[in-house]
Amino acid sequence: MIALLFSGILLSILFPLLNRHRARLSYLLLLVYPLLVSLYLIRRVNMDNPIAASLPWVPSLEISLSFRLDGLSLIFSLLISAIGFLILVYAGEYLRGYPLTGRFFSFLTLFMTSMLGLVWADNLITLFVFWELTSITSYLLIGYDHEDQQARKAALQALLITAGGGLALLAGLVLMGQAAGTFEISQINQKGQLIRESNLYPLILLAIFAGAFTKSAQFPFHFWLPGAMAAPTPVSAYLHSATMVKAGIYLLARLYPALAGTEAWQYTLLGVGLITFLAGSLLALPQTDLKKILAYSTVAALGLLVMLLGIGSGLAVKTAVVYLFAHSLYKGGLFLVAGGVDHAVHTRQVDQLGGLGKAMPLTAFGAALCGLSAIGFIPTLGFVAKELVYELILAFPQGALLTALAVLAFTALTAVSGWVFALPFWQKNRQKPLQAHENSSPLWGPPALLGMAGILLAVFIPQTGSSLIGPAVESILSSPQPVTLKLWHGLTPMFVLSLFTILAGALVYTVRIPFQRAIGGLHARLSAIGPQRLFDLGLEGLKKFAVLQTRILQNGYLRIYLITIILTTVALTGINILKSPGGLDLPAWQPPRFYDVVLAGVVLAAVLAVVSASSRLATVAILGLIGFTIALIYLLFGAPDLAMVQFAIETLAVILFILVIYRLPKFARITSRPARMLDILVALSGGALVTLLVLWITSRPFTSHLTPYFVENSLPLAKGRNVVNVILVDFRALDTLGEISVLAIAAIGVFALVELNLDKSLFPSQRALINKVRSMILPTAVRYLMPLLLIFSVFLLLRGHNEVGGGFVGGLVAASALMLYAIAVSPQALLRLLPASPRHLIGLGLLVALASGALGIFQGLPYMTGLWLSDPLPVFGKIGSPVLFDVGVFIAVIGVSLHILIALAEDGES
Amino acid sequence: MTYLLAILIGALFSAGLYMMMRRSLVKILIGLLLLSNAVNLLIFTAGRLVPGRPPLIPAGAELPEAPFADPLPQALILTAIVISFGVAAFAIVLIRQTYQKIGTDDLNELRCTDLPCSMEIEEPAAEKEGQ
């Protein structure tokens, strides 16, 4: 079973490819698939026990791809595969010469497979996945003629409604799974009592009804189905009459043992079904397009089926199954007939049709066979079904009104069926005669076969009942249900009613035009407040709302975003600080040391200066001042490593700024004064919050769980005395690897941006500062200074594991030294001097860092395990893979810094 | 000193936020740099201040001499400093290229470079067919 499903999906994926090269062969392969499935199913008719198969999917959530084939699944899947085969045959001819047929057949096969998966699924989630797949393929097939705006609109509407219902369904299924404690449908159905008594039951029922009603086009969601007639006729016949729209019915039948039997179930289904039944049959009357007529009559049939499941007695369920079976056969067939007529004479308007019987005798033959079943004429399956409906309704308490309504609806259905199957062929054409010729066999064959099936199954009705209908009814009711069906019951009230409907229908058939005008006028007036109109208005409103809220929220002003973010954060965090247990108790006041005050004073003054500065160069200088002062703060509070890195970075940052500063725009004061005042207030409130936060945090007791571990294990495990460096290159080396990768990406980004040759004519290239330095002293000094600095940087790198230093700071010092050379001599000279280009240095550094972590793998240890040589080497000291890692960091940092700075320096020269 | 540092961090934050609210691109970059310094100091202070003692294990000892500064925030900040350099470099080049290409550094004029400023949702395909 699972193999069949997967091969179907595979086939639909591969088909467009195959079709491009071997069109005929691939089409034959396509036809084999439903035949295989049908054979598989036919061999399982009259099986004793359901077949089950299962694959684990998400075991932790108890979701599995489990499937189960019982009587109900069997009858559905037989319809799907057998009608599917006929549809493929038909469509091959119908769509000859259309564009994109490869895509079409791929969607159609995917739909067929999804539909099979849907009726075989024994897990709620699996069922849902296939359910959604049918919605999506239906969308794709309705919109097949994607150049037609109407088709696109109809496809979108169908998708919105069915997928919206699908969302509700998902909620319902999950709730149901929770109520039952399992997602397996066969087990849920044994726990019906549990579910019906659960608090969630009303919610479950509502959600599942929403799913079923949208899919099966129940009032008030029925309007997407006539719209879906924009699809090619084979699709209408297959999806929108025989199979997909019955998925909702299938769902209700499948979950019948779990959900049915309550008043909520009964009255909702009865009410909605009855309204849909009546609305569908009456709305079919004013239609003049053959396909629209059939669409509305399908809506009516679906309503009747929902109604029958709502009544829910053994007889009602049996009637539902028979009617469903009959309807799929004759309605699919009638659609194909309508398509055949359209194909031959290029119109589907009843007003223009007539007299085709002579020219198209074989199509007419098929039409007659299907039509007889549609109007319920003996000896067809439709006749059996209709008699059963009447039998059920007559036995109903207070059945008089219901009987009258049913007679009314059936009369309308009989008449409209006549317009489809009889009028085009045997009524005289009042308009100009049509030039017609018989279609080829793939077009008239399938409807004729469907019609014959309807008659054969009716003639052998006892066998049909015991081997197809019976098992299905049994699985719906989940109790043994002997089904005996007879074609002829004698002259019963049911038969009389049935005959009466046919006669009344015939009467309406003959007075078609006045009838259509009257009801058409009424319908036009009602549709102003109809669900279609509400849907359109809702969609419009949604779009308008989206535009409105985008305009407000995504206004494009960074300033407003920031103000919103800052004020929200201040408000929320402030409230929480005040509300926190203990409130705001501030840390004890300690008199600051003298140099603390000096440092803080310097930074505060610098901050004030930077905010009000109007010169770019001054700003850079002040930023540098702030950075160096912060480095001193680090130094004072036991973080010499940070201080060194900050010093080195500030140096490089100054070089960076100097390289580009004169190509940056001048500062301009654009914002108006009141706006600036507001900004100052907002910024101050943000700053005040942070100050408060710092005080609040530091007033709390602080216990770190990580720090003691790192400190205690630094020497024994990682063999390093500088704990900061040990964390970087050993304990959290993987993080560091990520960080140097980020740096590498930033460097590549800078390079790419610089190289990106934008239109430079706007600003005539300005000579970079770098070449203006023409001093004798600097280049001479650099020749001696640079090697010394480089040696110093290696020294920093090597001692980093035990003393202050490390790969980061070493790399930065080395990069500064090299940049000094570039400034003093020239960037080109530096590049000539280097053994490898900065780009290669980045790669080499990353590679070394990666490889150092991999060493442990050869000894079966996890990645990034530190390995150490047992004896220390002279000069280098103790050597281990973390030291090698630090070397990687060192090289990468040099590469990144040089790459960025040289890219900018060279850019200035070009 | 905690008070002093708290005020310092607040001041850096205020200045950074204020600069980021400007319309001039370069000022935004300066705001970014101020903010990254401020955040580093914030993490540093949140790890508690210990005057003087770095987290180094002296020769012959197994543990650093208590009280010592917390090494964990230091390790975090160390890489953050280096990365902020990378970010600053990238931002500078981005600003420069934007300025060269578009000829303005006023953020409000950059609103409409990707999408038209009037945000009417239109269906171009539908219009075409309507003709």
Side-chain angles (χ1 to χ4, degrees), chain A residues 147 149 152 543 547 550-551 554-559 562-563 566 586-590 592-593 596-597 600 603-604 607 610-611 619 623 626 630 633-634 636-642 645-646 649 652-653 656-657 660 663-668 670-671 676 679-680 683-684 686-687 690-691 694-695 697-698 700 702 706-707 710-712 714-715 720-724 727-728 739 743 746 749-750 753-754 756 758 760 762-763 802 804 808 900 904 907, chain B residues 1-15 17-30 33-34 37-38 40-42 44-64 68-103 105-108 111 118-121 123 125-126 129-130:
Chain A
E147 287 177 4
Q149 193 195 351
R152 288 203 308 269
K543 279 187 196 165
V547 171
T550 310
R551 232 180 235 161
Q554 306 283 319
N555 49 44
Y557 294 105
L558 182 64
R559 183 174 159 255
L562 280 172
I563 292 178
I566 295 170
L586 298 175
W589 166 263
Q590 287 162 337
R593 296 174 286 185
D596 291 342
V597 179
V603 177
L604 284 176
V607 163
V610 93
V611 172
T619 310
L623 276 178
I626 294 177
I630 289 175
I633 294 177
Y634 288 143
L636 285 177
F637 289 95
D641 286 288
L642 290 190
V645 172
Q646 178 93 4
I649 283 288
L652 284 178
L656 176 74
F657 270 108
V660 288
R663 273 170 284 146
L664 291 177
K666 288 208 173 74
F667 286 0
I670 322 175
T671 324
R676 269 210 309 279
D679 292 353
I680 289 175
L684 281 178
V690 177
T691 300
V694 171
L695 290 176
I697 292 172
T698 45
R700 310 269 125 177
F702 177 60
L706 292 171
T707 304
F710 288 145
V711 171
E712 277 159 27
S714 174
L715 195 57
R721 292 179 180 278
N722 179 355
V723 186
V724 177
I727 293 176
L728 284 174
E739 277 144 7
L743 279 178
V750 168
L753 271 177
V754 168
L756 184 71
L758 294 169
K760 285 183 180 166
L762 206 56
F763 292 84
N802 291 314
V804 175
F808 275 106
I900 291 174
L904 286 171
D907 180 47
Chain B
M1 185 60 189
T2 309
Y3 276 93
L4 270 183
L5 265 185
I7 292 166
L8 205 61
I9 296 167
L12 282 170
F13 257 98
S14 295
L17 291 174
Y18 176 75
M19 291 304 263
M20 287 198 77
M21 282 188 269
R22 302 301 85 212
R23 274 159 65 179
S24 155
L25 274 174
V26 186
K27 289 191 178 175
I28 288 170
L29 172 71
I30 291 165
L33 293 173
L34 287 173
N37 269 326
N40 287 343
L41 265 186
L42 174 66
F44 191 64
T45 318
R48 302 301 188 272
L49 296 172
V50 179
R53 296 258 177 71
L56 293 173
I57 303 171
E62 284 287 306
L63 291 173
F68 54 90
D70 192 342
L72 189 60
Q74 293 192 21
L76 292 176
I77 298 168
L78 199 149
T79 48
I81 295 174
V82 184
I83 285 186
S84 71
F85 172 71
V87 172
F90 187 79
I92 285 181
V93 178
L94 191 62
I95 289 172
R96 212 199 59 134
Q97 294 293 66
T98 312
Y99 179 53
Q100 269 196 346
K101 175 75 191 169
I102 301 168
D105 68 324
D106 183 352
L107 258 193
N108 286 8
R111 279 179 64 221
S118 62
M119 287 200 284
E120 297 294 328
I121 290 183
E123 288 176 37
E129 280 167 14

Side-chain angles (χ1 to χ4, degrees), chain A residues 403-414:
Chain A
T403 312
L405 292 176
V407 168
L408 179 69
F410 271 124
T411 306
L413 287 182
T414 309

Side-chain angles (χ1 to χ4, degrees), chain A residues 882-896:
Chain A
V883 174
L884 196 61
F885 181 83
D886 219 10
V887 172
V889 173
F890 177 77
I891 300 174
V893 169
I894 296 178
V896 167

